[in-house]
């Protein structure tokens, strides 16, 4: 007889560890196993993330998930403490600022109405009000911007992931190193998983939290998951000029920057035609000088003397249908739950998704936030639930 667990979670980064924590907290007797292929977490999206959280989405469910994320982060220290020792989450509530020209203003206003209807603390500022609040910002080409007044900001991604994992372990979740090479399917059910070692583990439910490995894993039980790896590069620079009270600023063309320690992080989403499926970690050499620096110096004249310190590349797990997570069971298999295709906003959604997965396992449906809109049905029926605010 193979070893057996109630729930096997494949992938132990922020989504897998969040699911493990919520399951263990809600159902102490449940036998939960997390299988992680790379315990260094060196290349996963969680490690390479910009680690920021915003309420400024165009999809109401995304706003709700991030608002729960904020509420969780504000008390994560207490909730994830083990024997009185709290994890270091480093949550900085400095806001997001989406800037807009006249052309983008009606869209910003529409998104603003969605966010306000959900209770998000966001405010629209015209260009003059922005210039007054942030004197270091060039506003001559802008109609205005949308600023998060509370609840948005950034955090330590590793602090959150390890906080989830450490607490899950303390609540008796087993976390093992192992690469799952196949999901063992028999008709409408998975019987278990096979590891690279050849060992098999039986289980009641499998959660696919394998990030960029999710599509290959799904294929082993004949499910096509429309999730692809898309490279995103982040640059760390120092500027002799300060930018007091700087939020995470998103320029109309998609360039972004935010403070990090004594310096700043920045990046830009590539245009669609130069954004193929890609798994290398090469950072294009000239991107900072040629592409980012002119935009930075245009928006913040004090950044003229910016000096690049370091850079890295990571990958979004992009849901090519609509840039939103695919969450929950596939209609053809009863005991396999998906949480994939986060398309660049999975870190902030990890508390809401971890809790949602717990509810699906224990209750067979959502009990708090109704996230059915993110289910497989829209994918199979080719009905995109398109998120407009993708950074
Ligand atoms: C540059 C960049 C910036 C980002 N910025 C933000 C941001 O500001 N805010 C935000 O919310 N999100 C951001 N994201 C997205 C966010 O980081 C991801 O959505 C989130 O970390 C996804 O977590 P995950 O656990 O699903 O996947 P991952 O972190 O990719 O982890 C998947 C894990 O599964 C393991 N695995 C894979 N296959 C197998 C297998 N077969 N068997 C066992 N284990 C397996 C991997 O080793 C890995 O550890 C960013 C991402 C990048 C790359």
């Amino acid at each position: 007889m193979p070893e057996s667990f109630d729930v096997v979670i494949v992938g132990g980064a922020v989504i897998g560890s969040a699911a493990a924590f919520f399951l263990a907290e809600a159902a102490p007797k449940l036998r939960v196993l997390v299988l992680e292929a790379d315990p260094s977490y060196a290349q996963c999206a969680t490690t390479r993330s910009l680690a920021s959280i915003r309420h400024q989405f165009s999809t109401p469910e995304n706003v709700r998930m991030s608002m729960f994320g904020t509420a969780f982060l504000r008390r994560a220290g207490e909730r994830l403490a083990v024997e009185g020792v709290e994890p270091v989450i480093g949550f900085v509530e400095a806001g997001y600022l989406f800037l807009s020209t006249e052309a983008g203003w009606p869209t910003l206003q529409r998104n603003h109405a969605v966010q306000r209807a959900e209770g998000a603390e966001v405010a629209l500022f015209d260009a003059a009000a922005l210039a007054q609040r942030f004197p270091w910002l060039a506003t001559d080409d802008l109609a205005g911007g949308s600023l998060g007044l509370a609840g948005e900001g950034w955090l330590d991604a590793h602090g959150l992931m390890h906080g989830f994992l450490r607490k899950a372990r303390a609540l008796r979740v087993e976390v093992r190193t192992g690469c799952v090479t196949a999901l063992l399917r028999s008709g409408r059910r998975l019987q278990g998983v096979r590891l690279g070692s050849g060992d098999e583990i039986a289980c009641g439910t499998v959660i696919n939290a394998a990030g960029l490995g999710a599509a290959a894993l799904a294929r082993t039980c004949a499910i096509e998951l429309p999730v692809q790896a898309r490279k995103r590069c982040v640059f760390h620079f120092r500027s002799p000029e300060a930018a007091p009270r700087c939020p995470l600023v998103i320029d109309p063309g998609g360039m972004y920057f935010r403070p990090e320690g004594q310096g700043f992080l920045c990046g830009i989403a590539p245009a669609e035609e130069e954004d193929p499926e890609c798994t290398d970690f090469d950072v294009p050499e000239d991107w900072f000088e040629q592409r980012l620096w002119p935009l930075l110096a245009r928006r913040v004249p004090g950044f003229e003397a910016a000096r690049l310190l370091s850079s890295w590349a990571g990958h979004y797990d992009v849901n090519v249908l609509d840039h939103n997570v695919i969450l929950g069971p596939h209609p053809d298999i009863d005991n396999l739950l998906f949480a994939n295709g986060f398309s660049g906003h999975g870190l902030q959604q990890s508390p809401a998704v971890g809790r949602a997965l717990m509810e699906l396992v224990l209750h067979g449906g959502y009990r708090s936030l109704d996230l059915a809109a993110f289910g497989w049905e829209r994918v199979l029926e080719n009905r995109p639930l398109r998120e407009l605010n993708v950074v």
Side-chain angles (χ1 to χ4, degrees), residues 37 53 56 115 163 191 193 252 264 270 287 342 356-357 363 378 384:
I53 175 165
Q56 298 187 58
Q115 295 147 14
Q191 306 300 319
V193 302
F264 295 85
W287 264 44
F342 287 95
L357 290 165
H363 309 294
R378 82 193 198 274

Side-chain angles (χ1 to χ4, degrees), residues 10-16 35-38 41 44-46 48-52 96 178-180 209-213 217 232 234 312 314-317 339 342 344-349:
V10 186
V14 79
I15 295 298
L35 289 166
E36 168 53 50
D38 174 15
Y41 294 100
C44 69
T46 300
R48 286 161 184 269
S49 171
L50 194 74
S52 306
Y96 268 64
C179 182
V180 176
L212 294 175
L217 195 66
R232 294 292 178 269
V234 181
W312 73 84
H315 300 91
Y316 281 6
D317 57 336
F342 287 95
H345 35 270
L347 185 83
Q348 63 199 279
Q349 295 186 335

Side-chain angles (χ1 to χ4, degrees), residues 54-68 111 114-116 118-120 349 387:
R54 60 182 157 114
H55 301 169
Q56 298 187 58
F57 286 94
S58 67
T59 314
E61 288 83 355
N62 280 334
V63 183
R64 286 177 212 147
M65 279 207 271
S66 282
M67 287 180 68
F68 175 70
N111 292 344
V114 171
Q115 295 147 14
R116 292 289 301 136
E118 296 302 327
Q349 295 186 335
E387 172 55 50

Side-chain angles (χ1 to χ4, degrees), residues 177-324:
T177 300
C179 182
V180 176
T181 52
L183 301 176
L184 306 172
R185 178 174 175 179
S186 170
R188 292 193 55 85
R189 288 194 70 78
L190 294 187
Q191 306 300 319
V193 302
R194 182 178 302 126
L195 301 177
S197 61
D199 291 345
E200 294 184 359
I201 297 175
C203 58
T205 303
V206 176
I207 294 176
N208 183 348
L212 294 175
L217 195 66
R219 224 166 283 131
T220 68
C221 67
I223 302 283
E224 270 311 312
L225 184 68
V227 170
Q228 295 180 5
R230 299 286 166 87
K231 187 161 73 179
R232 294 292 178 269
C233 300
V234 181
F235 301 83
H236 185 201
F237 68 94
R238 170 122 347 145
S239 159
E241 290 281 328
R245 298 167 70 202
C246 184
L248 196 161
V249 180
I250 318 270
D251 220 39
M255 181 275 289
Y256 65 80
F257 59 90
R258 73 156 168 85
E260 174 73 13
Q262 300 298 306
F264 295 85
L265 297 178
C266 71
I268 188 169
E272 206 171 328
E273 60 278 9
E274 53 173 4
D275 192 22
E277 185 164 20
C278 164
T279 52
D280 72 60
F281 288 89
D282 303 334
V283 178
E285 266 176 21
D286 56 351
W287 264 44
F288 185 76
E289 287 295 324
Q290 302 288 332
R291 205 172 268 212
L292 283 158
W293 180 80
L295 294 170
L296 287 165
R298 165 78 183 87
R299 187 57 61 211
V300 182
F303 285 167
E304 183 90 13
R307 189 163 60 84
L308 181 63
L309 298 175
S310 61
S311 58
W312 73 84
H315 300 91
Y316 281 6
D317 57 336
V318 170
N319 170 2
V320 294
L321 176 73
D322 60 12
H323 293 267
N324 268 321

